[in-house]
Amino acid sequence: MTKRIGILTGGGDCPGLNAVIRGVVKSAVCRGWEVVGIEDGFDGFLHAEKCRVLGLEEVRGILPRGGTILGTTNRGNPFCYPIMRDGKVEQVDVSDEVVSRIGLLGISGLVVVGGDGTLKIALELMRRGVPIVGVPKTIDNDLLETDVTFGYNTALETATDALDKLHSTAESHHRVMVLEVMGRYAGWIALESGIAGGADVILIPEIPYDLEKVGAAIVERGRRGRRFSVVVAAEGAFPKGGDRVIRECAGCKTVVERLGGIGEQLSRELGGFLEMDIRATVLGHLQRGGSPSTFDRCLGSRFGVKAVELIDAGAFGQMACLKGRKICSVPIEDAIRTLNLIDPDGEMVRHAESLGIMLGR
Ligand code: F6P
């Protein structure tokens, strides 16, 4: 039977989004279905011109391209949608309009590609009767119930490459180089790129750091003749005695806090301990841009195919996921129960410490 399905990408962009879109379109077209692409996340439903049919022609050649051909936004929550009224921004609930537009478009299955914020919105819309399947996207790798999210691998490659480059200049100038990486409240990018890039210190939000111990570790390296150090700090890292509150917008439960600045802060703090030049580099959005890695192209494509299979099976409320080498599915609800954070006493942290890397404690 001919179906019409929809696809949207929400939240921050990440490498591999186009692979998912292509995977959805190709496998839907194979079944004789039609795909409607919704631009700029859920916002697209509020504007007729932002909903367009995606055929094979529209997805040709997009596999190696970064970003998303559909556009995205990390502000578009229909349950607290920002509008200007009397020169002020107000949050209004436009979810009824979105639900009715989905019905009017004749969409009998909607693929929502997003991280925890977008998938939380998807779940709310599900409760209002919208048939949704999810695909886990984020460079932060902070979603539960999947071994990994797509986009994370490419971001790791970028961060590792930056660490390699910082090493040579750190060594030449006998400096401490601090690299700030993304990841929100999770330290995955910092920890794995730090191991891969041979960092001397890795600071993650899951282990509040002891500044004196970090300084002492760098001094000790100097005594052993290593006159430079490379530090990787997750943007969510914070010192012992401080606190990291995961901030959510009260009305809509979407994480809104803007992180960043730990690289400069740490450089200043370390400056009080060390008689060495210290420089901070913020890797920023370079981690989200560019062509997806082979791994992310393949994972994104397979997630796209799985999403269509889930719609075909009527398995709404499920999210595609990776378990081992198999693509499976889990309830969206389980994936967003809480954040997938690093276990400070877990194997990966232990292995990093066994490699002689200082984890701030
Ligand atoms: O969630 C992805 C992410 O890149 C985070 O790692 C980072 O904190 C945030 O998005 C940055 O968001 P923005 O693009 O709004 O600056």
Side-chain angles (χ1 to χ4, degrees), residues 203-210 237-242 344 359-361:
L203 304 179
I204 58 175
E206 293 86 343
I207 304 178
Y209 63 87
D210 182 325
F238 62 99
K240 224 171 123 185
L359 268 285
R361 61 183 176 185

mmCIF file of all heavy atoms in Angstrom, residues 203-210 237-242 344 359-361:
data_model
loop_
_atom_site.group_PDB
_atom_site.id
_atom_site.type_symbol
_atom_site.label_atom_id
_atom_site.label_comp_id
_atom_site.label_asym_id
_atom_site.label_seq_id
_atom_site.Cartn_x
_atom_site.Cartn_y
_atom_site.Cartn_z
ATOM 1 N N LEU A 203 40.110 15.932 31.269
ATOM 2 C CA LEU A 203 39.152 16.373 32.293
ATOM 3 C C LEU A 203 37.735 16.218 31.753
ATOM 4 O O LEU A 203 37.411 16.727 30.670
ATOM 5 C CB LEU A 203 39.434 17.827 32.686
ATOM 6 C CG LEU A 203 40.865 18.080 33.179
ATOM 7 C CD1 LEU A 203 41.089 19.543 33.521
ATOM 8 C CD2 LEU A 203 41.204 17.183 34.387
ATOM 9 N N ILE A 204 36.914 15.496 32.512
ATOM 10 C CA ILE A 204 35.550 15.213 32.059
ATOM 11 C C ILE A 204 34.553 15.626 33.152
ATOM 12 O O ILE A 204 34.905 15.660 34.332
ATOM 13 C CB ILE A 204 35.382 13.701 31.693
ATOM 14 C CG1 ILE A 204 35.726 12.793 32.891
ATOM 15 C CG2 ILE A 204 36.241 13.342 30.488
ATOM 16 C CD1 ILE A 204 35.462 11.303 32.639
ATOM 17 N N PRO A 205 33.310 15.915 32.762
ATOM 18 C CA PRO A 205 32.330 16.359 33.767
ATOM 19 C C PRO A 205 32.050 15.297 34.826
ATOM 20 O O PRO A 205 31.666 15.631 35.941
ATOM 21 C CB PRO A 205 31.056 16.614 32.947
ATOM 22 C CG PRO A 205 31.456 16.594 31.522
ATOM 23 C CD PRO A 205 32.764 15.911 31.392
ATOM 24 N N GLU A 206 32.231 14.042 34.466
ATOM 25 C CA GLU A 206 31.905 12.953 35.398
ATOM 26 C C GLU A 206 32.920 12.856 36.546
ATOM 27 O O GLU A 206 32.658 12.196 37.558
ATOM 28 C CB GLU A 206 31.858 11.610 34.647
ATOM 29 C CG GLU A 206 30.718 11.482 33.636
ATOM 30 C CD GLU A 206 31.058 12.039 32.249
ATOM 31 O OE1 GLU A 206 32.046 12.808 32.119
ATOM 32 O OE2 GLU A 206 30.338 11.702 31.287
ATOM 33 N N ILE A 207 34.099 13.505 36.386
ATOM 34 C CA ILE A 207 35.110 13.504 37.454
ATOM 35 C C ILE A 207 35.531 14.961 37.700
ATOM 36 O O ILE A 207 36.383 15.499 36.980
ATOM 37 C CB ILE A 207 36.358 12.665 37.056
ATOM 38 C CG1 ILE A 207 35.956 11.236 36.690
ATOM 39 C CG2 ILE A 207 37.405 12.677 38.180
ATOM 40 C CD1 ILE A 207 37.131 10.346 36.239
ATOM 41 N N PRO A 208 34.916 15.630 38.696
ATOM 42 C CA PRO A 208 35.332 17.014 38.972
ATOM 43 C C PRO A 208 36.836 17.044 39.255
ATOM 44 O O PRO A 208 37.352 16.184 39.980
ATOM 45 C CB PRO A 208 34.511 17.374 40.224
ATOM 46 C CG PRO A 208 33.334 16.438 40.191
ATOM 47 C CD PRO A 208 33.843 15.166 39.578
ATOM 48 N N TYR A 209 37.524 17.992 38.646
ATOM 49 C CA TYR A 209 38.985 17.940 38.726
ATOM 50 C C TYR A 209 39.551 18.680 39.932
ATOM 51 O O TYR A 209 38.998 19.677 40.398
ATOM 52 C CB TYR A 209 39.632 18.433 37.422
ATOM 53 C CG TYR A 209 39.371 19.876 37.077
ATOM 54 C CD1 TYR A 209 40.178 20.911 37.563
ATOM 55 C CD2 TYR A 209 38.338 20.210 36.214
ATOM 56 C CE1 TYR A 209 39.950 22.234 37.219
ATOM 57 C CE2 TYR A 209 38.091 21.543 35.871
ATOM 58 C CZ TYR A 209 38.892 22.540 36.381
ATOM 59 O OH TYR A 209 38.663 23.853 36.047
ATOM 60 N N ASP A 210 40.698 18.173 40.385
ATOM 61 C CA ASP A 210 41.429 18.788 41.488
ATOM 62 C C ASP A 210 42.575 19.573 40.848
ATOM 63 O O ASP A 210 43.540 18.986 40.335
ATOM 64 C CB ASP A 210 41.957 17.672 42.402
ATOM 65 C CG ASP A 210 42.694 18.221 43.609
ATOM 66 O OD1 ASP A 210 43.370 19.258 43.460
ATOM 67 O OD2 ASP A 210 42.597 17.597 44.674
ATOM 68 N N ALA A 237 33.414 20.031 31.878
ATOM 69 C CA ALA A 237 34.279 19.745 33.032
ATOM 70 C C ALA A 237 34.224 20.897 34.030
ATOM 71 O O ALA A 237 34.040 22.051 33.654
ATOM 72 C CB ALA A 237 35.714 19.514 32.560
ATOM 73 N N PHE A 238 34.383 20.579 35.299
ATOM 74 C CA PHE A 238 34.354 21.630 36.321
ATOM 75 C C PHE A 238 35.206 21.185 37.512
ATOM 76 O O PHE A 238 35.412 19.991 37.730
ATOM 77 C CB PHE A 238 32.916 21.949 36.743
ATOM 78 C CG PHE A 238 32.181 20.787 37.360
ATOM 79 C CD1 PHE A 238 32.076 20.671 38.739
ATOM 80 C CD2 PHE A 238 31.603 19.813 36.568
ATOM 81 C CE1 PHE A 238 31.403 19.602 39.311
ATOM 82 C CE2 PHE A 238 30.925 18.738 37.134
ATOM 83 C CZ PHE A 238 30.823 18.634 38.506
ATOM 84 N N PRO A 239 35.692 22.162 38.295
ATOM 85 C CA PRO A 239 36.583 21.811 39.403
ATOM 86 C C PRO A 239 35.848 21.183 40.584
ATOM 87 O O PRO A 239 34.664 21.414 40.771
ATOM 88 C CB PRO A 239 37.200 23.156 39.805
ATOM 89 C CG PRO A 239 36.296 24.188 39.264
ATOM 90 C CD PRO A 239 35.544 23.612 38.116
ATOM 91 N N LYS A 240 36.599 20.412 41.345
ATOM 92 C CA LYS A 240 36.077 19.810 42.572
ATOM 93 C C LYS A 240 35.539 20.925 43.469
ATOM 94 O O LYS A 240 36.129 22.004 43.548
ATOM 95 C CB LYS A 240 37.249 19.129 43.296
ATOM 96 C CG LYS A 240 36.947 17.777 43.832
ATOM 97 C CD LYS A 240 38.217 17.143 44.305
ATOM 98 C CE LYS A 240 38.070 16.760 45.761
ATOM 99 N NZ LYS A 240 39.319 16.237 46.301
ATOM 100 N N GLY A 241 34.438 20.683 44.118
ATOM 101 C CA GLY A 241 33.889 21.730 44.993
ATOM 102 C C GLY A 241 32.922 22.625 44.242
ATOM 103 O O GLY A 241 32.099 23.306 44.831
ATOM 104 N N GLY A 242 33.018 22.639 42.910
ATOM 105 C CA GLY A 242 32.042 23.395 42.115
ATOM 106 C C GLY A 242 30.857 22.471 41.873
ATOM 107 O O GLY A 242 30.821 21.362 42.395
ATOM 108 N N PRO A 344 32.742 6.903 36.295
ATOM 109 C CA PRO A 344 34.085 7.285 36.761
ATOM 110 C C PRO A 344 34.899 6.090 37.246
ATOM 111 O O PRO A 344 36.125 6.154 37.283
ATOM 112 C CB PRO A 344 33.821 8.247 37.921
ATOM 113 C CG PRO A 344 32.383 8.572 37.878
ATOM 114 C CD PRO A 344 31.673 7.535 37.064
ATOM 115 N N LEU A 359 43.428 11.990 35.180
ATOM 116 C CA LEU A 359 42.008 12.263 34.983
ATOM 117 C C LEU A 359 41.482 13.335 35.941
ATOM 118 O O LEU A 359 40.297 13.424 36.213
ATOM 119 C CB LEU A 359 41.189 10.972 35.126
ATOM 120 C CG LEU A 359 40.891 10.126 33.867
ATOM 121 C CD1 LEU A 359 39.820 10.741 33.003
ATOM 122 C CD2 LEU A 359 42.097 9.813 33.043
ATOM 123 N N GLY A 360 42.415 14.080 36.524
ATOM 124 C CA GLY A 360 41.996 15.196 37.372
ATOM 125 C C GLY A 360 41.718 14.805 38.805
ATOM 126 O O GLY A 360 41.207 15.608 39.578
ATOM 127 N N ARG A 361 42.061 13.564 39.177
ATOM 128 C CA ARG A 361 41.804 13.157 40.564
ATOM 129 C C ARG A 361 43.031 12.509 41.186
ATOM 130 O O ARG A 361 43.958 12.159 40.493
ATOM 131 C CB ARG A 361 40.621 12.200 40.630
ATOM 132 C CG ARG A 361 40.809 10.895 39.850
ATOM 133 C CD ARG A 361 39.541 10.060 39.920
ATOM 134 N NE ARG A 361 39.663 8.854 39.113
ATOM 135 C CZ ARG A 361 38.686 7.989 38.911
ATOM 136 N NH1 ARG A 361 37.496 8.233 39.410
ATOM 137 N NH2 ARG A 361 38.872 6.910 38.201
#
